[in-house]
C-alpha cells in the first residue's frame, strides 16, 4: 500500500477517514451496508474485510454502546482503520484485527467464534472470468475475490451466535449466487434492491440473513438513490449523509 493518504469526510462530516490516495476508495457501498445493519445498543458486531473501517465505524457511530471488531487482512489498511477509530472518538468501542476471513472464528484468538450479534461485509464481487483485473493492487484486492463469497458467509456463520444477523451488499446480478451460498443454514433472509434512479434496474442488493432461522425469504421495498430529476432521494440522504438506519 502506498504511504500517501487523504483525509476525507463521510456521512456529511460525521466521520473523518484517512484512506490511501490511490487504489480502492470508500464509496456508497460501504455506507449503504452500514445503514442496513439492524444493530442495537449494547450488541457486539464484526465488519469483515473492513478496509479503513468505513462501514463498521459508521455503524458504531450510529448505535450507542455497540462494540465493533474491524477485521482486515491488509496490515496497512488495518492500521488506518485503528487510527480512524481513534480520531473519530470510537477507539473505546472498536477493536482492529489483522486477519484473513478464512481463519477468523477457527483459532483461540480474536474475534471469538459464536460471540457476536451482527456481522457485516462487502465481499469482493467482480468475477475474474468476466472482468479484467485492475493493475492497482489495492483495487484488485478490494474487487477481485481471493476468497469466494461462500468463505465470507462461512466466516460470518462461525462468528455469530444462533439467531445473529449477517448483512452484506453485492451486485444485483449476483443475488442468485448469494442465496445459493447462504443455503439452508440461514433463514429470515431479507433482500433490499438498490436502484440508482426510479427507472433503472437495481445495481446492488442489500441482503440480511439470520443464522439458524427457518423464516421464509422476504423481498423488501426498494431503495432508490436518486429522484427522476437527479436529486438524491430522501432515503439516500438519510443513509449517506445523516448515517440513519434504512427504513426498509
Amino acid at each position: 500500500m502506498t504511504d500517501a493518504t487523504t483525509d476525507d469526510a463521510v456521512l456529511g462530516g460525521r466521520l473523518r477517514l484517512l484512506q490511501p490516495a490511490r487504489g480502492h476508495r470508500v464509496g456508497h457501498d460501504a455506507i449503504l451496508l452500514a445503514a442496513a445493519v439492524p444493530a442495537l445498543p449494547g450488541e457486539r458486531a464484526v465488519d469483515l474485510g473492513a478496509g479503513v473501517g468505513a462501514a463498521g465505524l459508521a455503524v458504531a457511530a450510529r448505535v450507542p454502546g455497540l462494540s465493533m471488531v474491524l477485521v482486515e487482512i491488509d496490515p496497512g489498511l488495518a492500521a488506518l482503520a485503528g487510527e480512524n477509530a481513534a480520531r473519530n472518538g470510537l477507539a473505546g468501542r472498536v477493536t482492529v484485527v489483522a486477519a484473513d476471513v478464512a481463519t477468523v472464528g477457527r483459532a483461540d484468538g480474536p474475534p471469538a467464534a459464536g460471540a457476536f450479534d451482527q456481522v457485516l461485509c462487502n465481499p469482493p464481487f467482480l468475477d475474474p472470468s468476466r472482468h479484467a483485473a485492475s493493475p492497482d493492487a489495492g483495487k484488485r484486492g478490494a474487487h477481485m475475490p481471493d476468497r469466494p463469497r461462500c468463505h465470507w458467509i462461512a466466516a460470518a456463520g462461525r462468528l455469530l451466535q444462533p439467531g445473529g444477523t449477517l448483512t452484506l451488499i453485492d451486485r444485483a446480478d449476483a443475488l442468485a449466487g448469494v442465496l445459493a451460498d447462504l443455503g439452508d443454514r440461514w433463514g429470515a433472509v431479507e433482500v433490499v434492491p438498490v436502484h440508482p434512479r426510479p427507472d433503472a434496474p437495481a445495481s446492488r442488493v442489500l441482503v440480511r440473513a439470520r443464522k439458524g432461522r427457518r423464516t421464509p425469504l422476504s423481498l423488501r421495498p426498494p431503495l432508490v438513490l436518486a429522484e427522476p430529476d437527479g436529486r438524491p432521494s430522501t432515503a439516500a440522504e438519510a443513509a449517506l449523509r445523516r448515517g440513519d438506519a434504512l427504513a426498509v
Side-chain angles (χ1 to χ4, degrees):
M1 185 186 74
T2 179
D3 292 332
T5 60
T6 60
D7 185 349
D8 301 296
V10 298
L11 295 179
R14 290 185 65 201
L15 284 180
R16 300 287 313 191
L17 298 177
L18 293 175
Q19 59 180 326
R22 295 182 57 188
H24 178 68
R25 304 271 294 168
V26 172
H28 284 179
D29 283 3
I31 305 305
L32 291 176
L33 172 63
V37 177
L40 298 174
E43 288 190 333
R44 296 160 296 176
V46 179
D47 181 359
L48 294 176
V52 299
L57 294 176
V59 179
R62 186 185 85 231
V63 183
L66 178 81
S67 63
M68 175 68 67
V69 178
L70 306 176
V71 175
E72 171 53 47
I73 192 172
D74 183 306
L77 294 179
L80 286 177
E83 190 168 352
N84 286 332
R87 68 204 303 266
N88 285 284
L90 296 169
R93 295 193 283 120
V94 175
T95 303
V96 181
V97 175
D100 188 333
V101 295
T103 65
V104 294
R106 295 187 185 276
D108 293 335
F116 296 91
D117 306 285
Q118 306 284 340
V119 170
L120 58 148
C121 64
N122 178 9
F125 51 60
L126 293 184
D127 183 348
S129 68
R130 299 172 56 193
H131 299 272
S134 171
D136 183 276
K139 287 185 178 180
R140 187 166 61 250
H143 297 160
M144 294 290 187
D146 286 333
R147 304 288 185 188
R149 186 193 307 106
C150 61
H151 286 200
W152 296 70
I153 291 174
R158 294 192 297 271
L159 295 171
L160 287 169
Q161 62 185 5
T165 301
L166 164 65
T167 306
L168 63 83
I169 188 168
D170 212 316
R171 292 168 60 94
D173 60 9
L175 178 58
V178 173
L179 298 178
D181 287 343
L182 288 170
D184 59 6
R185 294 187 177 185
W186 301 82
V189 178
E190 298 181 327
V191 178
V192 180
V194 180
H195 297 255
R197 57 184 188 276
D199 60 345
S203 58
R204 297 285 187 269
V205 284
L206 291 157
V207 181
R208 295 183 288 247
R210 299 187 68 182
K211 179 181 175 180
R213 293 300 173 88
R214 295 291 179 263
T215 312
L217 180 147
S218 173
L219 185 62
R220 308 299 297 168
L223 171 63
V224 180
L225 298 180
E227 304 291 354
D229 62 4
R231 290 180 298 109
S233 68
T234 300
E237 283 281 295
L240 297 174
R241 290 193 58 80
R242 297 203 304 270
D244 294 350
L246 291 185
V248 293

